[in-house]
């Protein structure tokens, strides 16, 4: 059974605790309120039962057509992917950044299926063809549910799920933002210069599995970037042990290993290192100088989504 979050304006913020860390906010004194409805769906993505959590949405829901939960022109539909943590990280950015200047929070519907979560970790050594087909169909049903719920654009804040973006977005008539494309566009607009004369700008990608790299390679290459990935030895002896250290609550060990993994790519003259794994986020302290060379793809996806939502609200 899947659970979904419906966000009805006005909402000024969102507070959450992940399974691994609590993320601190720039202004902890800001009052945070959540107005939402849990919606259960059948295997076809049709919502058949709703449980009211906050009365602030009840009147608005009753006035909506039964085929749609929200009618705002800038409603964002969010497909939760393999890791619930990625969804939470994206939601925090979306809600906080869209409302930090006193503006109304972007309305959104979240569709997250715990059945897709591989134990809370993004490391999946491989996916069989059957497993891929099941996952793609599952995610496609979530997309259809969001469309029926009144979403006017779709986002999928998951590094792994975006590997099947083409299949999941097939026949979708709404704007559907690809996380790799958002990253590539921002890097292109940054007008980076090659660190090695006579070569293209190089972008490094660190991920916990090969599948999570897929969404970024093609999109970056389309923008004429050269993609640099860690070699097999770095993945096996540095990157994966870093994630294992996190699982064992050895934060200091994970930090040291991650620093080495980043340095391995920087030695290869990359301008930016994309951290395409939610486990790797917030490992390094905020003041660590290496973070200036790193990029969180969720930042680019959130900025693109908020820009679209503000534009759609004015039309």
């Amino acid at each position: 059974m899947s659970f979904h979050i419906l966000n009805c304006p006005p909402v000024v913020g969102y507070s959450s605790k992940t399974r691994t860390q609590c993320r601190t906010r720039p202004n902890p004194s800001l009052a945070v309120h959540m107005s939402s409805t849990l919606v259960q769906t059948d295997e076809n993505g049709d919502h058949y039962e709703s449980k009211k959590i906050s009365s602030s949405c009840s009147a608005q829901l009753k006035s909506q057509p039964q085929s749609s939960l929200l009618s705002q022109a800038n409603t964002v539909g969010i497909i939760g992917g393999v890791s619930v943590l990625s969804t939470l990280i994206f939601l925090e950015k979306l809600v906080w950044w869209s409302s930090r200047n006193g503006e109304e929070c972007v309305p959104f519907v979240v569709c997250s299926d715990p059945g897709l979560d591989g134990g809370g970790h993004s490391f999946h050594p491989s996916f069989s063809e059957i497993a891929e087909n099941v996952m793609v169909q599952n995610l496609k049903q979530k997309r259809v549910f969001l469309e029926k719920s009144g979403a006017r654009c779709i986002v999928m804040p998951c590094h792994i799920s975006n590997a099947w973006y083409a299949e999941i977005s097939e026949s979708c008539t709404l704007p559907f933002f690809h996380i790799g494309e958002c990253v590539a566009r921002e890097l292109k607009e940054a007008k980076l210069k090659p660190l090695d004369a006579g070569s293209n700008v190089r972008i490094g990608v660190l991920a916990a599995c090969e599948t999570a790299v897929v969404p970024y390679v093609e999109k970056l290459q389309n923008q004429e970037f050269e993609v640099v990935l860690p070699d097999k030895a770095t993945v096996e002896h540095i990157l994966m042990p870093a994630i294992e250290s996190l699982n064992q609550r050895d934060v200091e060990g994970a930090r040291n290993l991650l620093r080495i993994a980043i340095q391995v790519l920087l030695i290869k003259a990359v301008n930016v290192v994309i951290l395409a794994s939610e486990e790797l986020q917030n490992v390094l302290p905020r003041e660590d100088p290496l973070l200036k060379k790193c990029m969180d793809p969720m930042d680019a996806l959130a900025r693109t989504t908020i820009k679209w939502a503000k534009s759609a609200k004015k039309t």
Side-chain angles (χ1 to χ4, degrees):
M1 182 172 292
S2 304
F3 293 94
H4 318 280
I5 300 174
L6 166 67
N7 176 45
C8 302
V11 178
V12 298
Y14 168 52
S15 176
S16 66
K17 289 185 178 180
T18 68
R19 283 177 290 188
T20 56
Q21 292 182 339
C22 295
R23 300 168 63 82
T24 58
R25 303 184 180 281
N27 184 2
S29 64
L30 177 67
V32 177
H33 304 285
M34 172 66 102
S35 177
S36 61
T37 297
L38 283 181
V39 182
Q40 300 177 2
T41 66
D42 58 23
E43 65 266 9
N44 296 320
D46 296 323
H47 42 82
Y48 60 87
E49 180 184 352
S50 296
K51 179 181 178 182
K52 185 171 68 174
I53 294 180
S54 173
S55 59
S56 61
C57 288
S58 59
Q60 190 171 4
L61 286 172
K62 289 179 181 178
S63 65
Q64 301 286 341
Q66 291 192 357
S67 60
S68 177
L69 295 174
L70 288 177
S71 63
Q72 286 84 355
N74 62 337
T75 298
V76 178
I78 303 169
I79 303 177
V82 173
S83 171
V84 176
L85 182 55
S86 285
T87 307
L88 291 175
I89 291 173
F90 174 78
L91 271 175
E92 182 180 48
K93 296 177 186 296
L94 179 70
V95 176
W96 180 252
W97 291 354
S98 68
S99 59
R100 61 185 172 184
N101 294 323
E103 299 180 35
E104 190 175 81
C105 173
V106 171
F108 61 85
V109 182
V110 182
C111 185
S112 181
D113 185 353
L116 290 174
D117 190 348
H121 310 298
S122 67
F123 174 56
H124 295 266
S126 63
F127 287 92
S128 67
E129 185 175 347
I130 294 177
E132 284 188 19
N133 291 335
V134 171
M135 179 173 291
V136 169
Q137 289 306 312
N138 189 314
L139 291 169
K140 198 167 185 177
Q141 287 174 0
K142 302 299 180 289
R143 190 210 82 205
V144 172
F145 166 82
L146 293 172
E147 291 172 331
K148 291 180 179 179
S149 300
R152 301 297 179 88
C153 86
I154 304 293
V155 296
M156 192 160 51
C158 174
H159 308 289
I160 291 177
S161 298
N162 274 269
W164 303 293
Y165 171 90
E167 294 90 338
I168 298 167
S169 63
E170 184 180 4
S171 75
C172 181
T173 58
L174 302 177
F176 193 153
F177 301 126
H178 187 292
I179 192 169
E181 191 170 323
C182 295
V183 168
R185 185 186 306 113
E186 285 200 358
L187 290 174
K188 191 69 174 181
E189 292 172 352
K191 300 185 184 302
L192 302 172
K193 302 297 182 183
L195 299 182
D196 277 351
S199 66
N200 292 332
V201 174
R202 294 172 181 164
I203 306 297
V205 181
L206 285 179
C209 68
E210 292 182 5
T211 307
V213 174
V214 173
Y216 303 99
V217 175
E218 180 184 0
K219 300 301 181 182
L220 289 168
Q221 290 176 342
N222 287 345
Q223 294 291 348
E224 300 181 345
F225 291 115
E226 180 181 342
V227 180
V228 179
L229 305 177
D231 56 28
K232 184 178 180 181
T234 301
V235 173
E236 292 181 356
H237 302 299
I238 300 176
L239 191 58
M240 297 318 304
I243 294 176
E244 291 171 4
S245 294
L246 280 178
N247 294 336
Q248 297 171 5
R249 301 183 183 278
D250 179 10
V251 177
E252 191 59 35
R255 285 177 176 174
N256 292 333
L257 288 167
L258 179 56
R259 288 187 180 108
I260 295 172
I262 295 172
Q263 290 285 10
V264 167
L265 293 181
L266 292 177
I267 290 174
K268 298 179 181 179
V270 303
N271 292 68
V272 177
V273 176
I274 296 172
L275 300 180
S277 170
E278 67 277 358
E279 288 97 342
L280 302 180
Q281 303 300 330
N282 293 324
V283 173
L284 299 181
R286 292 180 182 273
E287 66 275 8
D288 195 305
L290 281 179
L291 283 181
K292 296 179 180 180
K293 292 289 187 177
C294 297
M295 180 178 187
D296 180 356
M298 297 301 164
D299 290 352
L301 184 61
R303 282 189 287 262
T304 298
T305 304
I306 293 171
K307 182 178 180 180
W308 171 88
K310 289 183 177 180
S311 176
K313 185 178 180 180
K314 295 177 182 178
T315 58

